[in-house]
Amino acid sequence: MDNEKIPIQERKLYPFFFMVFLTAIFVAILGLLFHSSEQKIKDQEVLAYQTQMVNIFADTLSTVIHVNKEELLSPTKVAQAFSTYYKKSTKPLTYYTVEANGMLLGYCFDISGSGLWGTMNGFVGMTPDLNRIVNFTIYQQQETPGLGARVSESWFKKQFHDKILRLNGKVLTYSLVPEEATPATQEIKQITGATITSSSVSKMLFNEMNRIIPLIESQHVNAKSAGLK
Amino acid sequence: MNMSKTFYQSAIVENAQWKQILGICSTLAVTNLMLNSLVMGLSLTFALALSSFTISLIRDYTPRNVRMMAQTLIIAAYVIVADIFLKEYYPDISKSLGPYVGLIITNCILMGRAEAFAAKNPPFASMIDGLGAGFGYTLVLLLIAFVRELFGFGTLFGFKILGDWWIKWSIMVMAPSAFFILACLIWLVNTKYYKIKAS
């Protein structure tokens, strides 16, 4: 055979082995790198999630447990506060019950809805009677930067603080008023230039809470009747 | 070849954006803020310089018929490194850049430089060429972001420049504005820089 005379680079299977070899090297390097940083990235995501959720009840919590709000939200304390005061339930849906010093402070729900470009996710904190919003925040969105993305700004979120969501057992639909106006009970300030995003927030709150509240209430009724037996 | 000449050639004379019109997609997407543009530019420069270096290093062993596959693999590896680094140390910036760091893999500038330069030149010169092209890309991104952030947000790198009296231009925060600014930039460079150079 004159196989030996052909230089290695011109052999038929050389490109195949070359690619396999190259892929193996790079996959190994990336695998190692990913493995070493995976935990840290996950931890950061969890911390960001918990910080947002603790932030919802931060005002109420800090007065009940007599801790400074800034201290409560410091990166080193958030995980502890979260595990102490937030109790996760998975039935009939995933939500958190917030309790401190034996007092029920409210409930926290993870809600989602469609925005202009994609799904928006938010947290709603509700009072124990499920009639008022404690706080509301959008923690994930893909809205237009500078316009719709302003749903993450504090002035927009603040208007939901202590807002009536349910009146006489019915979930309210919020209508939009201009940014400079003072909204009434059934109104929220919209973001100038981002009407679709603003109304999506209003729709998302209405749809999700209309779905969630009856579920939670029926569960509580069941729990009570079970307790009577 | 002279190193500084290589750098100047790929950064300015043959700038990927105003001369070759490559890598435009990310130019439109991430130039709304100066900080995003800077981080995007640095990530691309990192991936470009190192992938050019590696591609050039193995160029004599790379079979011609699978060279593009190999190039894409190498580029993807470095881009993922940059992406993991940002996620680990700068999660906020990583979040605001969204998928665009990962999309550097498909950026035409990288394949362009790999084919046009790194596949034929020694490793060190290829790295300089990559650094140059990356610098040129970052420069264009920052120029566009300067206009967009200043008029759209009234800030630069997040610092307030224009006061509350400034009425923000909504068009500047949307992607189409980058089209107009890029077009103006290309026009300016072509009429001023290349005309003068030619004469």
Side-chain angles (χ1 to χ4, degrees):
Chain A
M1 297 290 281
D2 54 3
N3 216 1
E4 262 107 83
K5 284 174 203 158
I6 304 172
I8 187 160
Q9 268 131 296
E10 282 164 31
R11 287 193 192 166
K12 257 189 184 166
L13 282 175
Y14 176 74
F16 173 74
F17 286 112
F18 176 83
M19 277 315 289
V20 170
F21 181 66
L22 198 67
T23 311
I25 291 179
F26 278 97
V27 167
I29 295 172
L30 284 181
L32 277 176
L33 189 75
F34 184 71
H35 186 73
S36 66
S37 56
E38 192 185 13
Q39 197 53 45
K40 205 173 167 192
I41 294 173
K42 265 191 192 154
D43 288 350
Q44 267 165 355
E45 279 168 8
V46 170
L47 186 72
Y49 189 82
Q50 291 179 345
T51 309
Q52 293 266 17
M53 212 182 282
V54 172
N55 204 358
I56 296 273
F57 281 93
D59 286 318
T60 343
L61 264 176
S62 62
T63 47
V64 172
I65 59 170
H66 306 293
V67 172
N68 200 328
K69 190 180 163 188
E70 279 72 39
E71 205 187 316
L72 188 73
L73 288 170
S74 68
T76 46
K77 295 275 171 66
V78 160
Q80 197 202 344
F82 184 79
S83 59
T84 319
Y85 307 115
Y86 284 67
K87 216 173 73 210
K88 189 177 180 179
S89 312
T90 47
K91 277 180 185 174
L93 73 161
T94 306
Y95 69 98
Y96 293 84
T97 311
V98 190
E99 278 174 334
N101 294 346
M103 229 164 78
L104 176 63
L105 300 181
Y107 304 98
C108 200
F109 303 103
D110 189 340
I111 63 168
S112 66
S114 46
L116 178 60
W117 302 116
T119 309
M120 294 193 287
N121 295 84
F123 290 130
V124 196
M126 297 294 296
T127 50
D129 60 7
L130 294 169
N131 284 339
R132 272 175 192 271
I133 298 175
V134 175
N135 269 309
F136 170 64
T137 187
I138 300 270
Y139 69 88
Q140 199 168 13
Q141 43 86 11
Q142 290 132 36
E143 300 310 289
T144 322
L147 293 173
R150 288 174 69 209
V151 286
S152 314
E153 288 181 5
S154 62
W155 69 269
F156 185 79
K157 294 193 268 191
K158 262 189 194 145
Q159 61 174 329
F160 291 95
H161 173 62
D162 209 24
K163 201 164 178 65
I164 297 172
L165 181 86
R166 211 163 57 137
L167 210 59
N168 306 325
K170 271 194 181 146
V171 178
L172 301 177
T173 321
Y174 298 130
S175 48
L176 306 174
V177 294
E179 225 170 87
E180 314 76 37
T182 321
T185 316
Q186 288 216 32
E187 293 170 339
I188 52 169
K189 287 189 266 185
Q190 73 158 337
I191 300 160
T192 309
T195 311
I196 295 176
T197 306
S198 309
S199 61
S200 299
V201 170
S202 158
K203 253 185 235 157
M204 164 170 142
L205 267 171
F206 177 79
N207 291 341
E208 289 284 80
M209 296 325 282
N210 226 357
R211 176 177 71 89
I212 291 169
I213 291 176
L215 285 173
I216 301 291
E217 285 193 325
S218 68
Q219 190 211 17
H220 286 185
V221 169
N222 288 341
K224 265 184 195 160
S225 59
L228 285 173
K229 279 174 199 167
Chain B
M1 199 192 282
N2 189 335
M3 291 302 162
S4 57
K5 207 181 154 196
T6 309
F7 184 88
Y8 180 74
Q9 185 78 15
S10 77
I12 308 293
V13 182
E14 280 175 23
N15 182 291
Q17 278 142 316
W18 67 53
K19 182 76 183 175
Q20 303 176 53
I21 324 286
L22 289 180
I24 299 301
C25 346
S26 54
T27 313
L28 305 181
V30 300
T31 48
N32 58 339
L33 295 171
M34 295 278 280
L35 187 65
N36 286 358
S37 303
L38 185 68
V39 174
M40 185 70 182
L42 290 178
S43 309
L44 181 126
T45 309
F46 164 83
L48 181 52
L50 289 181
S51 64
S52 284
F53 179 81
T54 316
I55 288 164
S56 166
L57 203 65
I58 58 163
R59 69 187 191 282
D60 290 337
Y61 309 99
T62 314
R64 265 198 69 76
N65 46 357
V66 293
R67 70 179 195 289
M68 283 194 149
M69 248 156 77
Q71 286 164 1
T72 314
L73 178 82
I74 293 164
I75 289 168
Y78 284 113
V79 172
I80 294 169
V81 170
D83 198 25
I84 292 179
F85 176 81
L86 285 181
K87 275 201 182 115
E88 190 172 352
Y89 295 101
Y90 301 99
D92 293 335
I93 294 178
S94 167
K95 212 175 163 192
S96 71
L97 283 173
Y100 292 106
V101 175
L103 284 175
I104 294 176
I105 296 171
T106 61
N107 195 307
C108 327
I109 301 173
L110 282 90
M111 276 303 267
R113 291 331 289 169
E115 272 290 287
F117 200 93
K120 300 172 206 144
N121 288 286
F124 192 65
S126 302
M127 194 169 87
I128 298 292
D129 174 75
L131 283 175
F135 174 81
Y137 174 81
T138 314
L139 184 75
V140 173
L141 245 60
L142 284 176
L143 283 174
I144 297 174
F146 177 83
V147 181
R148 287 184 68 185
E149 188 176 344
L150 187 65
F151 293 125
F153 292 87
T155 59
L156 285 178
F157 281 110
F159 293 107
K160 205 160 201 163
I161 303 292
L162 303 170
D164 290 325
W165 50 270
W166 177 255
I167 297 167
K168 293 166 186 170
W169 297 9
S170 294
I171 181 74
M172 283 298 174
V173 303
M174 320 252 270
S177 70
F179 262 123
F180 308 134
I181 302 166
L182 183 66
C184 293
L185 186 72
I186 292 170
W187 166 69
L188 210 70
V189 169
N190 273 306
T191 50
K192 300 287 171 201
Y193 178 67
Y194 289 111
K195 281 259 171 72
I196 293 166
K197 242 180 135 257
S199 61

